[in-house]
Amino acid sequence: MLLDLACFDCVVKQVDKKEDKTFDGTSIPTPFEQVNNNGIYEFTCLKGHKSKTVIDNINFEILFEYGLNAIVDGYYRESVSSLTSAMERYFEFFIKTILRSSKNDFDLIDKSWKKISSQSERQLGAYIMLYIQVFGEEPLLLKPNSEIPFRNGVIHKGYIPTKMETIKFGNSVMKIIEESLLKLKGKHQNECFETFEYYGYKKKAKEDIEKLEKKTGRGQNIMFVNIMTTIDVKNGREKNPKDGRKGLVEKRISNIIERREPRSLILLKDTPKTK
Ligand SMILES: [Zn+2]
């Protein structure tokens, strides 16, 4: 899986040029790194700068994208596993957002979450009940007679799914998350963003980096980058009808393949003029 990261030094250099042009044609190399769990990416950019970038995303956004990338790479079992994790971590996000919307402290939310954190069936129960409470209807879930046995077969019984089966499963998961997330944002946008900030990679990474700065006595130059994922809390694809992330899993897969071609990032000094 590839992430569009950016190099702090390159961006600073570009900004320092201060050329009086709307569009400065110099490209900034966009380094790619392997995905990790803490959201901090250290790399050497193509110009040789040692750089550190933190992604401004939350786990289920990245897990879903990871699942799509696994389809592209032909790892269908891994895809089903990542897509399932994305869905479960989305349920967690939903539950915490709803608890937050009733003015609960994140400390209390964390404390109560701990009691169900290792039991996905309990989490699912909480999700269904809270969803009905808030929206007055049942949430969309995996189909009990087909999709749940399929997922269990893959995850617990070593079943190797086909590409088509995996894509179909991906579309179901995408619908389950996206329909719910859109409604959640529609009703509790502020709490959605608050929960995103609180549990996203950025907050924890900032804390880790501050600790490191204290320990070493050296300041760190950090870039924060929001990776444009298919499932996206802050910059959802629903906002713009021309968003390049539109479409079902099939379309996303071809988009991911296109994006793996060498590309570069261009900094614009102003909003480009449209004719
Ligand atoms: Zn650089």
Side-chain angles (χ1 to χ4, degrees):
M1 174 166 165
L2 305 177
L3 298 176
D4 285 344
L5 304 175
C7 168
F8 184 87
D9 287 341
C10 283
V11 172
V12 167
K13 267 196 177 167
Q14 179 96 349
V15 172
D16 279 350
K17 281 183 186 166
K18 287 191 184 122
E19 283 160 11
D20 190 23
K21 269 196 284 180
T22 302
F23 172 67
D24 183 327
T26 316
S27 299
I28 294 173
T30 309
F32 295 120
E33 270 301 321
Q34 296 293 315
V35 187
N36 64 38
N37 203 49
N38 61 17
I40 305 175
Y41 293 86
E42 287 181 71
F43 54 86
T44 305
C45 86
L46 296 179
K47 287 182 179 166
H49 307 126
K50 289 231 179 294
S51 204
K52 210 177 244 185
T53 296
V54 172
I55 58 171
D56 186 15
N57 290 80
I58 192 163
N59 54 9
F60 65 88
E61 297 174 333
I62 297 298
L63 283 164
F64 189 84
E65 219 58 20
Y66 202 104
L68 294 183
N69 277 269
I71 299 178
V72 172
D73 294 328
Y75 292 106
Y76 307 128
R77 279 180 53 74
E78 287 71 7
S79 172
V80 170
S81 161
S82 293
L83 293 168
T84 301
S85 294
M87 184 177 70
E88 290 177 348
R89 297 290 57 82
Y90 169 72
F91 292 164
E92 175 181 352
F93 176 80
F94 180 96
I95 294 165
K96 288 176 171 176
T97 302
I98 295 300
L99 290 175
R100 185 67 185 166
S101 74
S102 339
K103 310 279 172 252
N104 288 299
D105 226 53
F106 280 121
D107 285 340
L108 176 62
I109 295 173
D110 284 339
K111 212 171 137 198
S112 51
W113 181 259
K114 269 206 184 104
K115 299 200 164 71
I116 65 168
S117 67
S118 49
Q119 285 136 308
S120 60
E121 284 298 314
R122 286 188 180 182
Q123 294 165 17
L124 179 64
Y127 175 70
I128 296 170
M129 294 309 145
L130 284 176
Y131 192 98
I132 293 172
Q133 168 78 22
V134 175
F135 296 116
E137 59 181 28
E138 285 184 78
L140 195 61
L141 296 169
L142 291 178
K143 293 188 187 78
N145 296 325
S146 53
E147 288 163 347
I148 290 177
F150 169 75
R151 178 205 61 193
N152 291 345
V154 173
I155 291 176
H156 302 303
K157 295 177 189 162
Y159 177 68
I160 301 174
T162 65
K163 183 177 184 180
M164 282 318 296
E165 285 172 323
T166 310
I167 289 175
K168 203 169 154 224
F169 183 76
N171 277 322
S172 294
V173 169
M174 186 156 90
K175 203 169 170 208
I176 289 169
I177 300 176
E178 203 169 35
E179 281 194 8
S180 172
L181 178 59
L182 283 177
K183 289 182 87 165
L184 188 65
K185 282 199 263 191
K187 190 150 187 167
H188 296 297
Q189 172 150 298
N190 290 342
E191 289 81 4
C192 245
F193 291 166
E194 258 188 282
T195 310
F196 177 92
E197 292 297 331
Y198 195 85
Y199 295 102
Y201 295 110
K202 196 169 76 177
K203 181 168 162 284
K204 176 80 176 40
K206 267 185 173 168
E207 290 164 5
D208 288 351
I209 287 163
E210 275 164 20
K211 264 186 222 156
L212 184 72
E213 284 180 333
K214 257 193 183 159
K215 211 175 122 193
T216 60
R218 258 189 313 141
Q220 304 263 325
N221 289 336
I222 313 288
M223 280 278 292
F224 293 96
V225 175
N226 174 247
I227 304 291
M228 301 289 273
T229 45
T230 309
I231 302 289
D232 193 322
V233 176
K234 268 166 82 175
N235 304 298
R237 58 182 187 162
E238 71 279 1
K239 282 187 186 170
N240 176 1
K242 285 183 183 161
D243 195 302
R245 297 166 294 171
K246 290 266 180 197
L248 295 173
V249 168
E250 295 85 333
K251 182 110 187 290
R252 297 296 303 129
I253 289 174
S254 52
N255 183 246
I256 287 169
I257 294 169
E258 262 171 48
R259 290 168 56 84
R260 285 187 180 182
E261 295 297 316
R263 288 174 305 128
S264 60
L265 194 144
I266 291 165
L267 256 197
L268 299 173
K269 292 193 168 169
D270 297 303
T271 314
K273 288 189 182 76
T274 44
K275 278 183 186 170

